[in-house]
């Protein structure tokens, strides 16, 4: 039983270790993600300051509530104008690219471990989403072209929730009783794979519609009630995020995608025609209120990131991690060097091969793959599936951890090398000139 004293121990150890990791990251200019995971392993399975079963229990809640606020905040930060400029590239990477990454990674996992294909596909779905958060400071330090930076970052905003939807589909195929009745209904009229396709489309379409509706309601409510200041706007933002998540899950759609789309609509309210019927003063007050809410959510998202990575490390069983280390290295670099580049091939239609290679080799795995990493183990322990066993749950968890670690370390280290070999330098003046040309082109149109 998880006591108050144990919960306090978890909070103190995670927050204290998080500060240490951040100080090390700042001092030696290294990514904090591997440090969070490694320190989590130390306070968890290595010295057992946090018993693994308690870390796993808390992680089951943190990964849900933390991921909702992370995705909600990411949605706010999406620029609709920049999305439209690179829509074709991002659309392909987040649909066909996501699926190809999951299928190839799953196939290789099954090949390495002689696992059933659906077990491999579950692993592939979990690690299909990218997370370039650790790369953004490096992109700006080495002056990576803004269009390329925007493409990589915006791709992640959409493939995060879509990767979770794909994971839900894989879970439904493996453990139907864990996914509610809608998948069973689809599968009974079609076959398992046909039902999975329809279930994926249902989750995406229903979630997007719900997210748009929640975002419109959020804007209307802020304007109507005039909740522009602390603490009302912050509390309302949380209620909107988790309310959207609850509504999506209740309708057996994706609550995570609902929260993301809600954030996108609320963060880009000017682009959805709201400004045509509002006074300048009202728009200014709404803008400041949303900015205040976003800053608050960014703080919560940063705390959630620390807890997700720390508890991921504390939850892991070191035995499969160590005993399957070489398989983990193979799988991690297959994802980076084979699956991701193949999945990104269609963007060659719009990018030169040098830009394509840079985008293909800069797609590290991060917080979104880490959050559901322990889900297969939880499902195996709860439902006692004959296919998704505890052993496979432990192996998937270990392989996700290794893939995240190696991808973040490798893809941050080789940013300056890839930038020098593949891209032309872009100065601030170049960006300003490009922006001015685009502005003039829009006026001419």
């Amino acid at each position: 039983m998880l006591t108050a004293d144990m919960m306090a121990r978890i909070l103190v150890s995670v927050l204290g270790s998080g500060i240490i990791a951040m100080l090390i990251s700042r001092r030696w200019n290294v990514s904090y993600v591997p440090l969070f995971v490694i320190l989590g392993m130390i306070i968890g399975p290595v010295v057992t300051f946090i018993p693994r079963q308690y870390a796993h229990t808390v992680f089951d809640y943190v990964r849900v509530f933390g991921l909702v606020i992370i995705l909600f905040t990411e949605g706010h930060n999406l620029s609709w104008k920049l999305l439209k400029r690179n829509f074709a590239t991002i659309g392909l990477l987040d649909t066909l690219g996501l699926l190809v990454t999951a299928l190839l990674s799953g196939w290789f996992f099954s090949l390495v471990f002689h696992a059933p294909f659906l077990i491999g596909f579950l692993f592939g779905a979990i690690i299909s989403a990218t997370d370039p958060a650790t790369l953004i400071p490096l992109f700006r330090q080495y002056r990576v072209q803004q269009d390329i930076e925007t493409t990589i970052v915006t791709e992640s905003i959409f493939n995060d929730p879509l990767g979770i939807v794909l994971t839900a589909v894989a879970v439904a195929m493996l453990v139907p009783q864990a996914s509610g009745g809608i998948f069973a209904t689809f599968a009974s009229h079609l076959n398992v794979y046909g039902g999975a396709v329809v279930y994926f489309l249902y989750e995406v379409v229903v979630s997007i519609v719900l997210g748009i509706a929640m975002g419109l309601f959020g804007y209307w409510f802020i304007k109507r009630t005039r909740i522009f200041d602390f603490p009302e706007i912050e509390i309302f933002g949380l209620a909107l995020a988790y309310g959207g998540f609850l509504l999506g899950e209740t309708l057996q759609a994706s609550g995570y995608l609902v929260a993301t789309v809600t954030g996108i609509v609320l963060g880009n309210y000017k682009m959805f025609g709201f400004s045509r019927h509002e006074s300048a003063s009202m728009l200014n007050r709404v803008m400041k209120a949303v900015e205040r809410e976003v800053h608050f959510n960014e703080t919560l998202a940063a705390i959630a990131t620390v807890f997700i990575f720390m508890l991921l490390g504390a939850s892991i069983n070191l035995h499969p991690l160590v005993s399957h280390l070489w398989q983990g290295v193979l799988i991690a670099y297959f994802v980076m060097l084979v699956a991701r580049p193949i999945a990104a091939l269609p963007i060659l239609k719009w990018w030169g091969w040098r830009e394509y290679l840079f985008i293909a080799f800069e797609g590290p795995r991060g917080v979104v793959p880490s959050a559901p990493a322990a889900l297969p183990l939880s499902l195996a322990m709860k439902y006692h599936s004959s296919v998704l066993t505890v052993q496979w749950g432990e192996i998937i968890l270990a392989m996700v951890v290794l893939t995240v670690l190696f991808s973040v370390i490798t893809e941050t280290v080789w940013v300056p090398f890839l930038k020098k070999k593949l891209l032309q330098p872009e100065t601030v003046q170049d960006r300003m000139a490009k922006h001015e040309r685009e502005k003039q082109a829009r006026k001419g149109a």
Side-chain angles (χ1 to χ4, degrees):
M1 181 179 178
L2 185 63
T3 63
D5 287 346
M6 179 54 67
M7 192 67 212
R9 178 188 292 191
I10 292 173
L11 289 172
V12 171
S13 57
V14 168
L15 292 172
S17 300
I19 288 293
I20 293 172
M22 289 176 180
L23 290 174
I24 295 172
S25 173
R26 181 191 302 174
R27 175 65 179 81
W28 281 282
N29 196 28
V30 295
S31 172
Y32 53 76
V33 171
L35 297 175
F36 287 156
V37 177
I38 292 169
L39 286 176
M41 291 180 187
I42 292 173
I43 63 176
V46 175
V47 301
T48 64
F49 186 74
I50 301 177
R52 183 170 177 249
Q53 67 270 24
Y54 295 132
H56 186 77
T57 299
V58 177
F59 185 52
D60 275 343
Y61 292 99
V62 168
R63 67 177 177 82
V64 174
F65 295 107
L67 201 51
V68 169
I69 201 64
I70 289 170
L71 295 174
F72 183 62
T73 306
E74 281 186 353
H76 281 75
N77 293 328
L78 172 69
S79 169
W80 190 255
K81 290 181 179 179
L82 293 176
L83 171 63
K84 289 195 296 184
R85 182 192 303 170
N86 299 293
F87 181 78
T89 298
I90 295 165
L92 269 175
L93 288 174
D94 285 339
T95 52
L96 181 62
L98 189 80
L99 181 60
V100 170
T101 300
L103 289 172
L104 287 175
S105 303
W107 166 78
F108 194 70
F109 179 97
S110 297
L111 180 68
V112 170
F113 285 105
H114 307 288
F117 172 74
L118 286 180
I119 295 292
F121 180 62
L122 177 56
F123 166 79
I126 289 172
I127 57 89
S128 60
T130 58
D131 181 9
T134 57
L135 299 178
I136 294 173
L138 293 174
F139 286 168
R140 292 171 185 173
Q141 177 184 345
Y142 293 102
R143 295 180 178 177
V144 171
Q145 296 168 23
Q146 188 177 29
D147 279 350
I148 292 178
E149 177 187 333
T150 300
T151 297
I152 294 172
V153 172
T154 309
E155 173 203 1
S156 172
I157 292 175
F158 279 101
N159 72 21
D160 284 351
L162 289 175
I164 295 171
V165 172
L166 199 60
T167 300
V169 172
V171 167
M173 296 170 74
L174 273 167
V175 191
Q177 61 269 38
S179 59
I182 288 185
F183 173 75
T185 301
F186 292 150
S188 65
H189 289 86
L190 306 165
N191 54 35
V192 173
Y193 295 100
V197 172
V198 176
Y199 182 56
F200 178 83
L201 294 174
Y202 168 83
E203 287 218 345
V204 171
V205 172
V206 172
S207 300
I208 290 175
V209 171
L210 290 175
I212 292 173
M214 290 295 291
L216 296 175
F217 167 75
Y219 173 81
W220 173 84
F221 192 85
I222 292 171
K223 183 184 67 171
R224 184 65 180 252
T225 59
R226 296 179 178 271
I227 51 171
F228 302 128
D229 300 312
F230 176 86
E232 291 90 353
I233 186 63
E234 290 83 357
I235 294 173
F236 175 68
L238 290 178
L240 196 66
Y242 290 111
F245 172 79
L246 179 61
L247 181 61
E249 294 298 309
T250 301
L251 296 178
Q252 297 184 36
S254 171
Y256 299 103
L257 184 53
V258 174
T260 306
V261 176
T262 302
I264 291 172
V265 174
L266 200 59
N268 292 271
Y269 61 90
K270 288 185 178 179
M271 304 303 299
F272 287 87
F274 298 141
S275 58
R276 298 173 187 172
H277 311 292
E278 303 294 349
S279 65
S281 61
M282 175 59 72
L283 282 172
N284 187 52
R285 296 189 74 183
V286 172
M287 180 183 69
K288 289 183 177 179
V290 172
E291 287 177 353
R292 186 176 294 111
E293 176 246 344
V294 170
H295 292 156
F296 175 73
N297 289 339
E298 285 176 340
T299 301
L300 294 181
I303 296 171
T305 300
V306 175
F307 273 84
I308 287 173
F309 284 120
M310 283 281 186
L311 291 174
L312 173 66
S315 300
I316 198 167
N317 183 349
L318 290 180
H319 176 70
L321 186 75
V322 174
S323 59
H324 299 299
L325 181 60
W326 72 269
Q327 291 100 324
V329 173
L330 280 178
I331 289 172
Y333 282 97
F334 179 88
V335 172
M336 284 185 279
L337 301 178
V338 180
R340 165 77 175 177
I342 291 176
L345 276 173
I347 72 170
L348 277 170
K349 182 177 180 180
W350 299 282
W351 298 87
W353 71 270
R354 290 176 179 270
E355 291 83 3
Y356 151 75
L357 285 176
F358 189 88
I359 293 172
F361 287 138
E362 292 296 352
R365 273 55 197 168
V367 68
V368 172
S370 299
L375 178 62
L377 179 59
S378 298
L379 293 173
M381 295 170 67
K382 181 176 181 179
Y383 292 102
H384 307 288
S385 168
S386 59
V387 181
L388 182 58
T389 61
V390 171
Q391 179 187 7
W392 286 125
E394 297 275 20
I395 291 174
I396 290 173
L397 173 58
M399 294 305 103
V400 171
V401 169
L402 290 174
T403 301
V404 169
L405 285 175
F406 284 114
S407 68
V408 170
I409 293 170
T410 302
E411 295 188 22
T412 52
V413 167
W414 68 27
V415 166
F417 173 79
L418 293 178
K419 168 63 174 63
K420 181 178 179 181
K421 295 295 183 181
L422 299 175
L423 303 180
Q424 296 296 322
E426 183 180 56
T427 64
V428 175
Q429 290 76 14
D430 292 333
R431 291 191 177 189
M432 292 176 65
K434 182 188 292 185
H435 178 73
E436 188 63 29
R437 288 195 299 270
E438 291 172 354
K439 187 177 178 181
Q440 293 298 327
R442 285 195 296 270
K443 286 183 178 179

